Amino acid sequence: MSKEEKDLEQEVVLEETEETSGETEISIDEMKAEYEDKLFRLAAEYDNFRKRTIKERDMIAASSVGDAVIHLLPAMDNLSRAIAALDAEEDSPAKQGFILIARQFDEAFANIGIEKIPAVGSQFDPNLHNAVMHIDDESVGDNVIVEELMPGYKYKEKIIRHSMVKVAN
C-alpha cells in the first residue's frame, strides 16, 4: 500500500468516527429522555400506589370499627331498656348506675368516631332510617320522624345500623 492510500484510509476512518460520535450523542440524548420519562412514570405509579394503599387501609379500619361496634350495640340497647324500665323510681341508685354506664358507652363511641343518627323531628331518609311504623298526624309535617324505636349509628360515612323509627303522614 502506498502512502497516499494509507492517508486516504485514515481520513475515511476519521470521518466514520466523527459520524458515529454524532450519532452517539443523539442516542444518549434519546436515552436520557427515555429514562426521564420512565422515572416520571415510575414516580406517578408509586404515588398512585401510596394513595390506593392509604384508601384501602382506611376502608379496612372503618370496616373493623363497624364490625366491633355492631357486637356492642345489643348491650347498649339492653342498657337503654333497663333505664326505661326503672323510670318509675326516679332517683334509685340502680338507675343512676345504669345512666353512668350508658354515658360511658356514648363517650367511648364518640372517642372512636361513632355518631348517633339524628331521628326524632328530622325528615325520614331511607339511607339512614328504617320506618317500621306509620301514623297519621296532621300536627306534624309529611315524612317527619315522630318516634325513635331503636337508635342508629354511623362511622364516618358508613352506616353501622339504621335507626328504627315511626314516621308521620
Side-chain angles (χ1 to χ4, degrees), residues 33 60 89 101-102 163:
I60 290 170
E89 300 175 33
I101 294 169
S163 297

Side-chain angles (χ1 to χ4, degrees), residues 33 72 134 162:
L72 294 173
H134 178 270
H162 292 79

Side-chain angles (χ1 to χ4, degrees), residues 94-110:
K95 183 177 180 180
Q96 294 304 317
F98 286 147
I99 290 172
L100 289 174
I101 294 169
R103 262 192 227 136
Q104 284 181 325
F105 264 110
D106 289 337
E107 288 172 6
F109 283 177

Side-chain angles (χ1 to χ4, degrees), residues 65-80:
V65 168
D67 290 346
V69 168
I70 205 153
H71 294 292
L72 294 173
L73 290 179
M76 183 71 169
D77 294 337
N78 288 335
L79 188 59
S80 297

Side-chain angles (χ1 to χ4, degrees), residues 45 47-57:
E45 286 178 21
D47 190 45
N48 290 338
F49 168 76
R50 187 180 54 80
K51 288 176 184 175
R52 186 175 56 246
T53 303
I54 289 170
K55 186 177 179 181
E56 287 173 357
R57 185 183 63 214

